[in-house]
Amino acid sequence: MTGPQTGPRIGVVTFPGTLDDIDAARAVRYTGAEPVALWHADADLRDVEAVVVPGGFSYGDYLRAGAIAAQAPVMRVVVEQARSPHRRLPVLGICNGFQILCEAGLLPGALVRNAELRFICRDQWLRVENTSSVWSTRYEPGAEILIPMKNAEGRYVADDAVMDELEGEGRVLFRYVTEGPQRGATNPNGALRDIAGICSADGRIAALMPHPEHAIDAFTGPSDDGMGIFLSALDAITTGDLAGAR
Amino acid sequence: MSAVDPHHRPGAEELLDVTDPVGAVSLIDQADHHLAPGVAPASVQDTVHRAAATPHQAQPYRELGLKDDEYARIKEILGRRPTDAELAMYSVMWSEHCSYKSSKVHLRYFGETTTEAMQATMLAGIGENAGVVDIGDGWAVTFKVESHNHPSFVEPYQGAATGVGGIVRDILAMGARPVAVMDQLRFGPADAPDSQRVVPGVVAGVGGYGNSLGLPNIGGEVVFDASYAGNPLVNAACIGVLRSADLHTAHASGTGNKVVLYGSRTGLDGIGGVSVLASDTFSGSESASGSTARRKLPSVQVGDPFAEKVLIECTLEAFAAGLVVGIQDLGGAGLSCATSELASAGDGGMHVTLDAVPTRAEGMTAAEILSSESQERMCAVVIPDKVDDFLAVCARWEVEAAVIGEVTDTGRLVITHHGETVLDVPPRTVAHEGPVYERPLARPDSQDALIADTTASLARPQTGELRELILRMIASPNLCSRGWVTDQYDRYVRGNTVLAQPADAGIIRVPSSSAASGAAVVEGVDAKDDATTVRGIAMATDCNARYTMLDPYAGAQLALAEAYRNVVSTGGVPTAVTNCLNFGNPEDPAVMWQFSQAVRGLADGCALLGIPVTGGNVSLYNQTAGVNILPTPVVGVLGVFDDVTRRILPGIGHEDGETLLLLGETRDELDGSEWANVVHGHLGGVPPRVDLDAERKLGEILIAGSRDGMISAAHDLSEGGLVQAAVEMCLAGETGARLVLPADTGLDAFTQLFSESTGRVLVAVPRTEELRFTEMCSARQQPWVKIGIVDAGNPAGPHLEIQDVATFGLGELREAWEGTLPALFG
């Protein structure tokens, strides 16, 4: 990485077929943190304090979206350090990253083909349901944010027991806004209970299908609403409060 | 594999191992995948020696598309009959697709009309994979449009997907990082039964490949016309960015340098391009694999965007590390094209060993290996000392690579297979000295009747009927929202998209990392801060084939004028032109007349505007059952921004009370219009007058207005006229407006709303800038008229009111405009 950086180091993973790594790195950089490139084949997290698993088509979505990437050397270390009660590594999965975290068992449920069976790219309204996770403290409760989504397999599903557990523990992080006059205010893909993003019980491991890294300035995105996610993590790392505001 | 336990659950290690479609495992060592050199195949191989000894053996040259005199010329060049492999190579390289034999004599006119001043910004032009232009500060841009029409009718998804893949590799082969794609699509009638197959398939193919590749799609065209029903046009464009110093062109210099083939394996797919290769009369094709029929695979290749994505990253990393001398993508004609073009553009010869080519099938013949159009392959020339480093880069990206030959000083392209010489030719005779035809051309007798059949006799609506007509027109297939298409394309990836559909031109911020930063590429993550980079590029493509049918010379200029106007409407400075010339059967003199007229019109137009044509593509034989498509010369204009933050958007509503000004002159020009098409199914008369001086003046005003912050929104007028532009500006900005049509023009409301006069742009200017802007227009003799105001404060919600004509709620307009394609295609 070039240039002096004083902020915390946040890793961005690149698999063969990862597409949105430079976008995720840019978002990290916009917060003042230092993006650190993590290579899929290296079981080395290079002393980062959080990891972003970005979007794309890792390994061409062969076998099943995210299935192969979930077994990559770098992901085994991410899983180990995310689960370690001592390390408590914060992890964010975006789009294909969400699929990978589900495949890796860090988050429950699965992402299946969109209800209309098509790739959908559009600006999507989301409601922030949980503002105490490591990745969402910067938002006001119930805030509605405009974030691009783009996927063919973004429909979140899980069995009723898992759904009830997520709801009961406040682990639904973002929901698709389904009412209101704005464009992009419908459930785009048939996701159960309009779920767009979820997190772990302690709010440290989070994932969403829409792309906050594409909403970091209004010049290239529909808004800068996505910055809140990255700034929230920066706050948590800086204050050492990796259980969020709970 | 028979020993595999069906109940075995693979562990992680095995799962990783199945990631092998590009050869994740044992990438470099392919020794046991094919026959060792010197081991003879099951049947006799047609060698150079054998060809010389059997001069009278019959060869299927006619089935391969060669004429008698072309075959005779090959024999004359070689001094003997060609071998099977040579015949395969010549036939495919001398095809219309590769040799431009019908179009070449006309395309020369582009070069003849390019002045020195126009050449000043060109770093590479026609003849390269893609033209390259200097955009300042050491940056260069390369861009090109290419057709993939016929495969996309046969197999819409894969035809379109591999079209995107091919154009992206063309851009990559210039040493550039591909940064955006666009697609220019033309289909039969939207409600035709076959459109249900072709349209969703093509759109899904463009999206499926481009999305997986990680390139934003920033625009294009979708046009429906009956002439494309059996012959859709699928053109794909790609833009790449590079440091001027890093320009790589396709050549093989330096005796002893190694030729490396990397990417996917070479298979039997795509050989259908020369389908009779599998014919029974073709000797040498009976091999251990069995009958020829069994070997024949679908002639449309199957794309693998993941393989292309890693190929891109791998290639850029090799460029950045200085490992590449010359490079060539493998597209149409596969290795035949790559080896002959690399060798003939270099300074000597080349020796290639086909046994080293990693193949997907056992026992492929030399002709099959040379002709295969398997996707996602590249050929690089590497100095011997760097070969290991190059192979290491490939291995890191899990891209299969093999050294297949080396550059020689013999002046001959020599290819061996199983230890025998199967091809020995002067490479230029294959790649550059193919046949050139001066096909007969003639203006068809029917042209006069077509021109005489104007819209004057067509019934025009009363003012009271305009409300209904406006809703009908904005919902018609050629004017309605393209959202159903563009919402299937990723326009955000890489984070540099400033403007994409729906807009006049697509705009990309020039990313500062691009191919330039070796560190960034190696890291896999853009390391430099592009927040400081404000340079940008715009690209628009256009063609109105109806106009071109009425007057091919003017039609090509109208396409140029519209693409130019689209670029200046965003504030971009037009810098270079590319084209994709889609025409019918060149053996029809009327088609060759259309073609020659269009080329001359475009070239003369570019000379008038002072921007060079840097490259192009020709697609002929677009006809169904003897009926040719409308002549469709797609023209792409590239624009440059020194400061892309000054770009102008098409949506109104930045501030209430902005003034709407119509720049340019409106005349009664409805021949060839969308109104004539939708309401009367009519095509005849004379297309709108083209005035390139007026376009240039208009451009200067828009560029100045954008630099000085005088314009808050702009949208060009084209098909559908003023009302179409006004509706789109309201919907894009989700803001209402009030229009007052000027009373003193001598034109009725219908004509003012639907005329397609060119050289017009609808702009919104802040009230504070109105006087300064209109004074600038008047001082430069730019016609302008105040035509309305932006109305953001309507208590009844946003409305578009056209005074004395009709008033619409934006919801009503949106429903009409956006409903059409989803209703047709789901």
Side-chain angles (χ1 to χ4, degrees):
Chain A
M1 291 298 160
T2 58
Q5 292 276 359
T6 51
R9 291 161 62 83
I10 296 182
V12 176
V13 180
T14 299
F15 303 96
T18 293
L19 305 178
D20 300 303
D21 46 358
I22 72 162
D23 308 75
R26 185 185 293 120
V28 166
R29 198 166 55 244
Y30 276 23
T31 67
E34 179 187 358
V36 176
L38 302 178
W39 181 245
H40 72 109
D42 297 338
D44 177 4
L45 297 192
R46 299 176 63 186
D47 298 326
V48 298
E49 294 181 67
V51 166
V52 178
V53 185
F57 291 77
S58 58
Y59 300 95
D61 275 0
Y62 294 140
L63 197 59
R64 199 170 55 238
I68 297 169
Q71 304 295 337
V74 73
M75 280 311 297
R76 285 180 221 167
V77 185
V78 167
V79 169
E80 183 189 304
Q81 298 199 5
R83 285 186 172 147
S84 158
H86 308 294
R87 180 69 159 94
R88 300 175 60 72
L89 180 74
V91 181
L92 174 71
I94 303 169
C95 195
N96 188 222
F98 192 171
Q99 296 162 339
I100 292 168
L101 296 191
C102 289
E103 289 284 348
L106 280 181
L107 290 171
L111 286 310
V112 300
R113 198 107 175 112
N114 292 338
E116 288 185 10
L117 305 179
R118 270 201 302 271
F119 187 96
I120 303 168
C121 174
R122 71 179 207 187
D123 299 340
Q124 177 68 44
W125 285 98
L126 305 179
R127 191 169 54 252
V128 184
E129 297 282 35
N130 170 337
T131 56
S132 59
S133 85
V134 164
W135 298 91
S136 61
T137 50
R138 284 277 186 128
Y139 296 106
E140 295 293 324
E144 295 192 354
I145 60 177
L146 186 62
I147 306 280
M149 65 158 274
K150 37 169 224 187
N151 60 64
E153 291 167 330
R155 181 176 171 234
Y156 184 74
V157 296
D159 62 33
D160 285 344
V162 169
M163 285 292 188
D164 292 341
E165 188 183 315
L166 289 174
E167 300 272 13
E169 295 180 355
R171 291 169 57 189
V172 175
L173 203 46
F174 301 102
R175 258 186 247 271
Y176 300 114
V177 173
T178 56
E179 39 199 50
Q182 322 94 303
R183 298 166 57 62
T186 55
N187 180 331
N189 53 22
L192 297 183
R193 305 193 194 183
D194 305 321
I195 288 175
I198 58 173
C199 62
S200 58
D202 65 357
R204 212 164 23 84
I205 302 164
L208 73 167
M209 284 312 296
H211 289 258
E213 80 282 15
H214 292 327
I216 58 172
D217 71 53
F219 184 61
T220 53
S223 71
D224 61 1
D225 294 348
M227 281 304 290
I229 289 179
F230 301 97
L231 289 167
S232 297
L234 185 69
D235 291 350
I237 293 166
T238 312
T239 61
D241 183 4
L242 293 182
R246 297 186 170 208
Chain B
M1 297 298 285
S2 58
V4 170
D5 172 6
H7 302 293
H8 169 71
R9 286 180 63 82
E13 298 292 345
E14 288 169 75
L15 284 175
L16 278 176
D17 284 354
V18 301
T19 68
D20 193 31
V22 290
V25 196
S26 309
L27 301 178
I28 309 305
D29 178 14
Q30 295 302 331
D32 54 0
H33 280 286
H34 41 72
L35 298 170
V39 178
S43 62
V44 178
Q45 178 161 261
D46 194 28
T47 62
V48 167
H49 181 72
R50 185 166 171 269
T54 56
H56 303 299
Q57 179 176 315
Q59 291 189 286
Y61 65 90
R62 284 196 191 120
E63 291 84 342
L64 291 168
L66 289 168
K67 306 274 194 252
D68 292 351
D69 58 335
E70 291 172 350
Y71 180 63
R73 175 135 179 264
I74 294 168
K75 290 208 279 193
E76 187 189 322
I77 290 168
L78 299 176
R80 56 173 165 77
R81 75 161 173 89
T83 64
D84 288 351
E86 288 165 345
L87 185 63
M89 183 180 276
Y90 274 105
S91 67
V92 71
M93 289 301 291
W94 285 11
S95 69
E96 188 67 58
H97 178 80
C98 294
S99 74
Y100 290 69
K101 58 188 170 189
S102 298
S103 55
K104 218 174 205 170
V105 293
H106 301 287
L107 297 176
R108 286 181 189 139
Y109 191 67
F110 284 122
E112 292 162 19
T113 48
T114 304
T115 63
E116 252 176 59
M118 286 159 73
Q119 278 172 354
T121 58
M122 278 170 69
L123 301 175
I126 293 168
E128 298 295 346
N129 285 311
V132 183
V133 286
D134 192 341
I135 64 164
D137 282 353
W139 288 98
V141 172
T142 177
F143 72 124
K144 192 179 181 187
V145 189
E146 211 165 71
S147 65
H148 224 225
N149 302 339
H150 300 117
S152 301
F153 180 67
V154 178
E155 216 297 46
Y157 185 98
Q158 294 297 348
T162 53
V164 174
I167 190 68
V168 169
R169 285 193 302 280
D170 266 357
I171 295 302
L172 184 60
M174 301 307 294
R177 175 178 273 285
V179 295
V181 294
M182 302 174 86
D183 55 319
Q184 296 74 29
L185 310 178
R186 282 165 177 81
F187 302 111
D191 56 0
D194 199 39
S195 294
Q196 292 295 327
R197 174 186 72 96
V198 177
V199 176
V202 165
V203 171
V206 171
Y209 203 96
N211 296 341
S212 308
L213 204 50
L215 291 176
N217 188 311
I218 60 166
E221 303 164 77
V222 182
V223 178
F224 299 95
D225 185 274
S227 78
Y228 307 116
N231 196 122
L233 302 185
V234 175
N235 296 178
C238 184
I239 308 171
V241 174
L242 65 157
R243 299 298 296 180
S244 310
D246 292 343
L247 177 63
H248 286 260
T249 54
H251 65 276
S253 299
T255 298
N257 284 347
K258 301 297 181 187
V259 180
V260 183
L261 177 65
Y262 65 109
S264 297
R265 291 178 153 244
T266 299
L268 288 163
D269 51 329
I271 295 181
V274 283
S275 58
V276 274
L277 259 183
S279 78
D280 289 333
T281 55
F282 202 66
S283 62
S285 58
E286 298 162 26
S287 75
S289 300
S291 74
T292 54
R294 203 176 77 78
R295 298 165 62 83
K296 202 172 172 185
L297 290 183
S299 56
V300 177
Q301 314 88 289
V302 174
D304 178 353
F306 172 63
E308 182 115 328
K309 170 65 179 173
V310 291
L311 194 65
I312 291 173
E313 300 303 333
C314 168
T315 301
L316 292 174
E317 188 174 324
F319 282 152
L323 303 178
V324 177
V325 176
I327 196 151
Q328 173 82 43
D329 62 304
L330 272 71
L335 265 178
S336 287
C337 181
T339 54
S340 62
E341 289 202 345
L342 273 173
S344 59
D347 51 14
M350 186 183 286
H351 184 274
V352 172
T353 309
L354 293 183
D355 307 279
V357 173
T359 57
R360 287 182 201 163
E362 294 278 322
M364 288 178 71
T365 67
E368 286 168 339
I369 294 171
L370 287 170
S371 305
S372 166
E373 294 187 0
S374 291
Q375 297 289 294
E376 291 95 22
R377 296 179 298 161
M378 301 279 286
C379 217
V381 178
V382 182
I383 65 170
D385 287 354
K386 300 278 178 70
V387 167
D388 287 345
D389 291 344
F390 185 90
L391 296 179
V393 169
C394 291
R396 175 179 144 80
W397 285 99
E398 304 181 2
V399 168
E400 188 162 0
V403 176
I404 62 164
E406 66 177 43
V407 177
T408 65
D409 58 3
T410 61
R412 310 279 296 183
L413 172 60
V414 177
I415 295 181
T416 56
H417 194 213
H418 304 312
E420 299 175 307
T421 301
V422 294
L423 184 143
D424 183 353
V425 301
R428 284 196 64 81
T429 64
V430 177
H432 297 295
E433 291 160 11
V436 175
Y437 291 161
E438 299 231 19
R439 293 195 184 275
L441 57 87
R443 183 175 184 272
D445 297 338
S446 57
Q447 200 73 19
D448 285 331
L450 186 67
I451 291 170
D453 178 23
T454 71
T455 53
S457 60
L458 303 181
R460 295 192 176 193
Q462 302 299 310
T463 301
E465 298 169 312
L466 288 177
R467 185 175 207 287
E468 192 191 341
L469 179 63
I470 289 167
L471 290 172
R472 180 180 174 191
M473 290 298 293
I474 63 170
S476 64
N478 286 339
L479 298 180
C480 69
S481 165
R482 272 70 189 107
W484 181 85
V485 175
T486 54
D487 285 356
Q488 297 184 53
Y489 301 154
D490 181 352
R491 60 183 176 273
Y492 283 111
V493 64
R494 301 197 72 78
N496 290 307
T497 305
V498 176
L499 192 58
Q501 291 275 65
D504 292 78
I507 303 178
I508 287 282
R509 173 173 61 186
V510 172
S512 60
S513 68
S514 292
S517 165
V521 177
V522 173
E523 297 283 294
V525 170
D526 166 351
K528 289 189 179 172
D529 191 345
D530 34 73
T532 57
T533 302
V534 289
R535 194 168 285 276
I537 45 180
M539 183 167 169
T541 64
D542 282 290
C543 178
N544 185 317
R546 288 165 53 83
Y547 297 165
T548 312
M549 184 68 192
L550 300 179
D551 182 341
Y553 184 92
Q557 294 199 337
L558 285 161
L560 171 66
E562 190 184 342
Y564 185 93
R565 199 179 327 119
N566 278 328
V567 166
V568 297
S569 293
T570 66
V573 179
T575 304
V577 175
T578 192
N579 60 68
C580 189
L581 307 173
N582 306 273
F583 286 76
N585 184 351
E587 294 160 35
D588 178 344
V591 169
M592 281 317 292
W593 172 76
Q594 290 172 335
F595 184 82
S596 68
Q597 287 288 301
V599 166
R600 296 187 96 76
L602 180 56
D604 291 346
C606 289
L608 261 170
L609 291 171
I611 48 176
V613 175
T614 59
N617 178 245
V618 177
S619 172
L620 301 175
Y621 293 101
N622 293 290
Q623 79 258 16
T624 309
V627 179
N628 294 304
I629 60 160
L630 294 179
T632 312
V634 170
V635 178
V637 171
L638 180 82
V640 175
F641 294 88
D642 291 336
D643 181 359
V644 73
T645 62
R646 291 288 187 178
R647 88 284 184 242
I648 308 173
L649 301 177
I652 56 173
H654 297 276
E655 52 184 285
D656 193 16
E658 293 160 299
T659 302
L660 289 170
L661 303 172
L662 176 58
L663 308 183
E665 277 185 275
T666 304
R667 295 176 286 266
D668 185 340
E669 292 182 301
L670 286 148
D671 291 358
S673 67
E674 232 7 76
W675 166 76
N677 184 34
V678 171
V679 175
H680 296 282
H682 179 272
L683 175 59
V686 180
R689 189 194 313 167
V690 57
D691 182 346
L692 294 170
D693 285 330
E695 300 285 359
R696 178 152 66 176
K697 186 163 61 183
L698 179 64
E700 287 165 1
I701 282 171
L702 290 165
I703 293 162
S706 91
R707 283 183 175 156
D708 290 353
M710 286 189 278
I711 300 174
S712 51
H715 191 24
D716 95 303
L717 272 59
S718 57
E719 290 86 356
L722 171 63
V723 69
Q724 181 74 24
V727 167
E728 289 179 358
M729 289 181 83
C730 288
L731 292 179
E734 301 194 40
T735 304
R738 272 181 290 161
L739 294 190
V740 182
L741 300 176
D744 55 355
T745 59
L747 301 173
D748 63 7
F750 160 73
T751 309
Q752 291 196 52
L753 289 172
F754 289 100
S755 167
E756 297 184 3
S757 294
T758 64
R760 296 185 301 162
V761 171
L762 187 56
V763 300
V765 296
R767 266 194 196 148
T768 50
E769 302 294 333
E770 183 179 341
L771 187 62
R772 186 158 73 113
F773 184 76
T774 54
E775 281 181 347
M776 176 177 76
C777 289
S778 298
R780 299 188 185 198
Q781 279 94 45
Q782 168 64 45
W784 63 272
V785 61
K786 182 169 175 174
I787 204 158
I789 59 163
V790 172
D791 177 12
N794 190 329
H799 281 71
L800 172 61
E801 179 191 345
I802 307 169
Q803 195 171 300
D804 300 329
V805 174
T807 299
F808 306 88
L810 288 202
E812 182 183 19
L813 292 174
R814 187 177 294 287
E815 199 176 315
W817 187 60
E818 290 186 350
T820 308
L821 295 186
L824 285 164
F825 301 113

